[in-house]
Amino acid sequence: QVQLTESGGGAVQTGGSLELSCANSGYRNGVFCMAWFRQTPEKEREGVAAVAAAGDTTYYADFVKGRFTITQNKFKNILRLQMKDLKPEDTGTYYCAAGRYCDLQSSTFQHWGQGTQVTVSS
């Protein structure tokens, strides 16, 4: 029973920063990877970053490397995405997800939050 809730979205100008948070209020047994995805009407859902539930190994999409950082707390019930140097193309709905593997493929993840909107103005 995994329940994910995102927060921290908002509107910023190009070059700005935001930090997204995801709280898992449910049972985390069986979750081996936590990740962030994003989606826009023009693009299919794409993986942004992931972190292994054990070991904290991280994975990033090429388009966010050097700008975004994914972290999780000690108790593995809070996931964060620190975003800096934001660009208009980063605009979208960001979703927290929990799944079996850190492959950044949406089909791998069984649990999803409701999403939080990020808007970056030029």
Side-chain angles (χ1 to χ4, degrees):
Q1 185 176 335
V2 177
Q3 184 174 348
L4 306 175
T5 304
E6 303 97 333
S7 62
V12 297
Q13 295 182 336
T14 297
S17 300
L18 282 174
E19 180 174 294
L20 308 183
S21 295
C22 170
N24 178 11
S25 60
Y27 189 52
R28 65 176 184 272
N29 189 42
V31 174
F32 302 101
C33 186
M34 298 291 293
W36 289 97
F37 288 76
R38 69 187 186 189
Q39 188 169 16
T40 66
E42 298 82 16
K43 300 167 64 177
E44 65 182 16
R45 190 168 298 185
E46 59 185 357
V48 174
V51 59
D56 295 324
T57 300
T58 57
Y59 308 84
Y60 295 95
D62 288 342
F63 53 81
V64 302
K65 286 182 178 178
R67 299 189 297 123
F68 292 10
T69 303
I70 187 170
T71 59
Q72 60 189 348
N73 71 337
K74 176 181 178 180
F75 302 103
K76 310 302 176 68
N77 63 341
I78 300 177
L79 182 73
R80 293 189 171 92
L81 183 68
Q82 297 171 309
M83 305 183 292
K84 65 179 182 181
D85 191 24
L86 284 162
K87 305 174 181 180
E89 52 262 43
D90 293 319
T91 293
T93 302
Y94 283 69
Y95 297 90
C96 175
R100 308 182 191 280
Y101 304 101
C102 285
D103 58 4
L104 290 178
Q105 293 184 313
S106 61
S107 61
T108 298
F109 294 81
Q110 289 72 52
H111 308 281
W112 297 85
Q114 82 287 352
T116 185
Q117 181 66 34
V118 171
T119 302
V120 184
S121 301
S122 60

